[in-house]
Amino acid sequence: MILNEEQVMLKETVAQFFAEQSPIEHLRALGAGPLSEAYDRVLWSEMVGLGLTGITVPEEFEGLNFGWLAVGAIAQEAGRRLVASPFLSSVVFAQNVLLNCGSRSQIETHLPSLLSGEITASVALDEGRFFDPEAINARESDDGISGVKTRVLNGQTSDFLLCVAKRTSGDLGVALISSEHTKINVDAKRSMDLHGHANITLDSIPSTDIEWLAGDSVEAGLTKAIDQATVVLAAEMMGSAREALERTVDYLGEREQFDVKLGTFQALQHRCAQMFCELELAESAVSAALMGLDHGAPNLSALASSAKALANDCFTLISSEAVQLHGGMGVTEEMDIGLFLKRSRVCNQLL
């Protein structure tokens, strides 16, 4: 990933910040807490203070507009620490649904609160066990919106939902709804990777309590936002995969069997070399997709799908091999490496 000087400085700052403020022990503590807490609010406040909420936003809307390569670099560093935060769900996904699908007046009304960190938002898209953006059954009727949304990232803590539903015309629309509405039931969950999500039921929310995003092309804007979030998730997965590989190489360099370092065994060296090759290949695809976002590539959806597919395979391979190469210790709760395996399986099902 080729970054300019400002992006390199941002990456280094974020890397140090996550290393100091969000070690993996914090994720374990979060997992032991109540389901209603999807992330550490103190950590999120500090991320807001660093300006990370405006990283993808154009300067005309008071954003930093650092470029998508910088966003990918932030996601990679977050992935190294398995950080649980609204960065993907609110900053990347929800903000860009608003930017891509909303009218200028809607953007100017709602975006400032998201940039300031005063509120967060989540996109309510999935409705089944697997990601399928075309299988939307939530719909608008004379009684309002009804439907069930699954795996809404950080849905239990979001202030607003951007709910994807079928309009009465049959077209897809995006409805802005307060999460505190009495007709919304939020079932808080925690995935096996200790990150939070929610299943949300919409029970005939009246049209008077709904604001439909009114941009020029809502469906095209939603597709673009999905591609943007997919690429950033793939970048996060690459950060996690590289961290898992580095931890494994360090372990093999320290662990001894019959007074010999495991890292001297050629068979294990070959397995690490194979993981490194797969990682470099997948990172190249992710970098290409991030550059495609920066330059408005016409084949963005293909680049995003390719990046995510390779990220899935790469992270699955490395996390599985990492646990095996740690031996029996790899499957114990005392070792962090198992959390990378769990995170890989959850990420495979997202976007």
Side-chain angles (χ1 to χ4, degrees), residues 90-166:
S90 186
V91 174
V92 175
F93 202 4
Q95 281 187 16
N96 282 285
V97 168
L98 177 61
L99 286 166
N100 297 344
C101 303
S103 66
R104 187 175 186 89
S105 63
Q106 288 175 321
I107 294 171
E108 291 175 345
T109 298
H110 299 294
L111 188 59
S113 296
L114 290 168
L115 289 177
S116 68
E118 179 184 343
I119 65 170
T120 60
S122 292
V123 179
L125 176 63
D126 289 349
E127 297 187 3
R129 293 180 59 192
F130 303 102
F131 173 68
D132 186 355
E134 296 183 359
I136 302 297
N137 294 312
R139 61 186 61 249
E140 177 188 25
S141 67
D142 293 339
D143 297 326
I145 290 183
S146 296
V148 177
K149 296 294 183 177
T150 59
R151 290 193 308 278
V152 179
L153 300 181
N154 298 316
Q156 62 266 60
T157 54
S158 294
D159 299 283
F160 285 92
L161 296 175
L162 291 164
C163 179
V164 180
K166 289 283 184 67

Side-chain angles (χ1 to χ4, degrees), residues 2-123:
I2 302 175
L3 305 175
N4 62 34
E5 185 176 350
E6 289 183 341
Q7 291 169 340
V8 169
M9 291 177 61
L10 175 64
K11 178 181 173 66
E12 292 174 349
T13 299
V14 170
Q16 181 179 358
F17 169 76
F18 284 138
E20 294 175 353
Q21 303 300 325
S22 187
I24 292 181
E25 290 78 11
H26 286 196
L27 179 64
R28 291 186 180 277
L30 182 69
L35 291 176
S36 58
E37 293 299 319
Y39 56 87
D40 183 342
R41 293 179 184 270
V42 174
L43 174 67
W44 175 240
S45 177
E46 292 173 343
M47 291 174 67
V48 172
L50 285 177
L52 300 188
T53 52
I55 204 74
T56 71
V57 177
E59 293 179 359
E60 64 178 305
F61 296 117
E62 306 300 324
L64 298 177
N65 195 27
F66 255 73
W68 287 97
L69 280 171
V71 178
I74 294 169
Q76 283 186 332
E77 296 304 326
R80 279 182 170 272
R81 306 297 170 183
L82 302 178
V83 175
S85 80
F87 183 73
L88 177 65
S89 60
S90 186
V91 174
V92 175
F93 202 4
Q95 281 187 16
N96 282 285
V97 168
L98 177 61
L99 286 166
N100 297 344
C101 303
S103 66
R104 187 175 186 89
S105 63
Q106 288 175 321
I107 294 171
E108 291 175 345
T109 298
H110 299 294
L111 188 59
S113 296
L114 290 168
L115 289 177
S116 68
E118 179 184 343
I119 65 170
T120 60
S122 292
V123 179

Side-chain angles (χ1 to χ4, degrees), residues 268-280:
L268 302 187
Q269 293 174 359
H270 287 173
R271 290 169 72 172
C272 290
Q274 179 64 31
M275 286 189 281
F276 178 77
C277 290
E278 295 297 330
L279 180 62
E280 290 292 307

